[in-house]
């Protein structure tokens, strides 16, 4: 299988090259030239397999330049019971709430307690193997822009991985105290963490700019280094996410909630559009899919896009209690537009250019039609997020985080508006303990004034009886290693300095 660029159909690279490079030289994103399609018989086989075996099947159909042994090595080292708490890293918890069944797929049992681990525990394995195939001897410099969760998950995935250096940039006031503490306490000799004065989009724009700054690229080349990306623009991030949707479908069949062949709805709390795009790709592969419900917080640029066909980032950036979704430029939407335009690279490039120059674009009528057929977009306010956590907890004793709450709220609104009885899988993207302050204030119905993060954590445990995940508890006594705060326009120099090239 080969991969092409959303902005240049003439580009054609192997999966190893797509993963090693991260982004296409023309600025486009890599997409598979075709999708493997699974029929009923293939799904029958998958039903009898565990998560790791399902992952091997899906990965081997996309990574055709990897051997079966290489794929097995990646999967078996990534999704261990030791790292994910059990042999199923993505268990589904079913709850009855307000007359509806919520099938909550918990994607946060990994080492950093957010769903990013599902991809970032395996990406270093995929990347080091890809580098060996395509760029022998070169060392990869991984640059990450993060709204909080990607940063820590990438640091944990890449720390002390041979032939890699990783530098993470996060918005200084745009992440939760726990996220900041998790990042700043990371061990490892190849890691760097730096705050920037700005929001997530500034960090993301800054990283994209470094990738194309000639002077920096040259300095790296001269020293046997190359850039790569651990952001969800990298195909190696998206692919492992397809697996858990296929696996969730199998689990729903095995649990007797659906029959093989029945359609499901999928609800995803969305920021950069990576997670929901993986669900869309699972649909392209034959997973029976009715609606993709795209849930946003007050940064509801995607809700407007799905409802009107106009993407317009010219609006205030709002800092919310679900910071990992505080994003106005959803990078992975580019891949959807490319596929829905009939793989039209020129049209995709036009939209992306308009986004860069005008901050907005309107898609064609044919794209609009498919988007409204397949997607439903909704958003929820800060109060609604907290009310949802509180109502769900009081009714079912289930404690969800602020991002998952956005998904639950938007799904409930969708049910009210449509009456759609299709069974739904809701992606739960983080442990409530990553956002203890907001979650505790929701449960207690009042503002939390304690200064110390772990005082809040302890109160949340005391009030709810829900245990804090071990990896978060482990950071309690760790001291911060990093404290740099810089202006976004000095990021290229910072990278050169951190790599000792200046
Ligand atoms: C990253 C993240 C999201 C958004 O996922 P995208 O793939 O960027 O759409 C939602 N919730 C949490 C907790 C996250 O860390």
């Amino acid at each position: 299988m080969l991969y092409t660029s959303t902005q240049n159909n003439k580009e054609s690279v192997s999966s190893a090259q797509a993963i090693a490079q991260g982004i296409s030289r023309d600025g486009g994103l890599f997409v598979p030239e075709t999708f493997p399609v699974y029929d009923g018989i293939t799904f029958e086989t998958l039903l009898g397999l565990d998560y790791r075996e399902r992952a091997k099947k899906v990965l081997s159909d996309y990574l055709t330049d990897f051997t079966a042994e290489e794929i097995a090595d990646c999967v078996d080292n990534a999704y261990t019971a030791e790292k994910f708490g059990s042999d199923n890293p993505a268990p589904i918890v079913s709850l009855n709430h307000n007359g509806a069944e919520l099938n909550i797929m918990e994607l946060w049992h990994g080492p950093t307690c957010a769903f990013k681990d599902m991809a970032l525990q395996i990406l270093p394995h995929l990347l080091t193997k890809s580098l060996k195939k395509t760029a022998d001897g070169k060392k990869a410099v991984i640059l990450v822009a993060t709204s909080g969760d990607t940063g820590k998950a990438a640091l944990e995935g890449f720390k002390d991985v041979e032939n890699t250096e990783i530098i993470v940039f996060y918005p200084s006031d745009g992440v939760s105290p726990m996220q900041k503490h998790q990042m700043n306490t990371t061990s490892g000799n190849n890691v760097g963490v730096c705050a920037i004065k700005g929001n997530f989009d500034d960090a993301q724009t800054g990283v994209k700019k470094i990738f194309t700054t000639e002077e920096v690229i040259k300095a790296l080349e001269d020293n046997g280094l190359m850039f790569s990306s651990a952001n969800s623009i990298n195909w190696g991030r998206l692919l492992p996410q397809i697996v858990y949707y296929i696996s969730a479908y199998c689990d729903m069949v095995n649990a007797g909630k659906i029959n093989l062949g029945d359609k499901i709805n999928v609800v995803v709390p969305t920021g950069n559009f990576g997670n929901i795009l993986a669900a869309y790709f699972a649909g392209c592969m034959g997973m029976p899919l009715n609606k993709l419900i795209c849930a946003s917080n007050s940064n509801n640029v995607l809700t407007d896009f799905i409802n009107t066909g106009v993407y317009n980032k010219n609006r205030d950036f709002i800092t919310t209690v679900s910071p990992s979704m505080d994003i106005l430029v959803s990078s992975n939407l580019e891949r959807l537009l490319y596929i829905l335009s009939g793989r039209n690279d020129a049209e995709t490039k036009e939209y992306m250019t308009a986004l860069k120059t005008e901050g907005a674009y309107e898609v064609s009528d044919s794209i609009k039609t498919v988007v409204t057929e397949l997607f439903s977009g909704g958003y929820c306010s800060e109060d609604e997020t907290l009310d949802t956590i509180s109502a769900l907890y009081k009714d079912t004793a289930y404690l969800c985080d602020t991002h998952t709450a956005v998904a639950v709220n938007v799904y409930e609104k969708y049910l009210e508006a449509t009456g759609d009885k299709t069974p739904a899988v809701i992606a739960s993207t983080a442990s409530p303990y990553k956002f203890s302050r907001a979650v505790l204030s929701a449960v207690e119905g009042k503002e939390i004034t304690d200064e110390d993060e772990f005082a809040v954590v302890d109160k949340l445990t005391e009030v709810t009886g829900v245990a804090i995940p071990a990896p978060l508890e482990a950071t309690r006594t760790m001291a911060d290693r990093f404290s740099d705060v810089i202006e976004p326009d000095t990021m290229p120099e910072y990278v050169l300095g951190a790599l000792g090239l200046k």
Side-chain angles (χ1 to χ4, degrees), residues 79-133:
Y79 301 115
T80 62
E82 190 202 345
K83 283 178 177 152
F84 284 86
S86 82
D87 281 321
N88 183 0
I92 295 176
V93 175
S94 296
L95 305 168
N96 282 301
H97 179 54
N98 292 344
E101 186 172 71
L102 310 177
N103 300 294
I104 299 186
M105 172 168 59
E106 295 181 340
L107 298 170
W108 43 264
H109 291 284
T112 78
C113 308
F115 90 96
K116 305 294 197 292
D117 289 327
M118 297 299 295
L120 282 161
Q121 279 299 309
I122 193 166
L123 181 66
H125 299 288
L126 295 172
L127 184 69
T128 44
K129 286 183 171 56
S130 297
L131 286 172
K132 282 206 180 102
K133 289 177 193 294

Side-chain angles (χ1 to χ4, degrees), residues 15 31-33 46 54 81 86 104-106 127 166 191 247 286 306 335 354 358 435 465 470 497:
S15 71
V31 283
E33 287 184 346
L46 289 171
R54 289 171 186 165
S86 82
I104 299 186
M105 172 168 59
E106 295 181 340
L127 184 69
I166 174 165
V191 305
S247 183
I306 289 165
R335 287 183 160 113
E358 324 283 326
F435 308 94

Side-chain angles (χ1 to χ4, degrees), residues 89 99 107-108 112 140 225 236 245 255 261 266 305 347 377 427 436 483:
L107 298 170
W108 43 264
T112 78
L225 302 169
Y245 289 108
V266 175
F305 170 71
E347 184 178 333
S436 301
S483 57

Side-chain angles (χ1 to χ4, degrees), residues 225-452:
L225 302 169
M226 67 178 277
F227 279 130
S228 192
S229 165
N231 276 98
S232 58
I233 52 173
N234 192 319
W235 175 247
R237 275 282 303 276
L238 274 180
L239 175 57
Q241 297 183 238
I242 300 174
V243 175
Y244 52 72
Y245 289 108
I246 302 269
S247 183
Y249 186 86
C250 296
D251 288 347
M252 290 284 283
V253 174
N254 285 341
K257 299 201 176 287
I258 51 171
N259 294 314
L260 186 57
D262 290 353
K263 290 184 174 180
I264 58 167
N265 288 337
V266 175
V267 191
V268 186
T270 298
N272 226 352
F273 209 75
N275 202 3
I276 195 166
L277 186 72
Y280 169 75
F281 285 170
C284 295
M285 294 172 66
M287 183 188 83
L289 190 58
N290 179 48
K291 279 271 179 192
L292 287 167
I293 299 162
C294 175
S296 301
N297 63 25
S298 308
N299 295 294
N300 55 1
V301 58
L302 284 166
T303 313
D304 291 345
F305 170 71
I306 289 165
N307 292 331
T308 66
V310 177
Y311 194 97
N312 188 347
K313 73 164 180 114
N314 300 314
R315 59 180 78 204
D316 288 338
F317 182 99
I318 301 163
T319 302
T320 73
V321 290
S322 43
S324 301
M325 294 153 67
D326 291 348
I327 292 175
L328 292 180
V329 180
S330 298
S331 303
N332 269 298
L333 191 60
E334 179 173 343
R335 287 183 160 113
L336 182 73
L337 298 180
Y338 174 73
I339 289 168
L340 296 188
S341 67
R343 297 179 173 261
N344 188 326
D345 51 351
E347 184 178 333
T348 310
K349 196 179 169 95
E350 239 169 72
Y351 297 142
M352 291 307 116
T353 307
L355 182 63
K356 237 178 251 158
T357 54
E358 324 283 326
Y361 60 85
E362 178 167 11
V363 294
S364 68
D365 286 343
S366 66
I367 295 185
K368 271 183 214 173
T369 308
V370 191
V371 166
T372 35
E373 260 166 30
L374 190 60
F375 288 84
S376 170
Y379 74 100
C380 95
S381 69
E382 297 291 274
D383 283 347
E384 287 173 318
T385 307
L386 299 183
D387 289 349
T388 302
I389 294 172
S390 162
L392 187 62
Y393 175 69
K394 290 197 173 113
D395 184 27
T396 66
Y398 186 83
L399 195 62
C400 77
D401 90 293
T402 47
H403 304 75
T404 308
V406 169
V408 170
N409 180 278
V410 168
Y411 178 56
E412 289 182 330
K413 287 178 188 155
Y414 170 83
L415 284 182
E416 210 170 284
T418 63
D420 183 358
K421 292 268 191 305
T422 310
V425 171
I426 301 175
S428 173
T429 49
S431 156
Y433 278 97
K434 286 198 91 161
F435 308 94
S436 301
R437 191 170 299 264
V439 172
L440 180 63
S441 88
V443 171
E444 296 255 81
K446 59 173 196 230
E447 205 169 316
I448 306 303
T449 49
D450 305 63
E451 296 270 308
D452 179 57

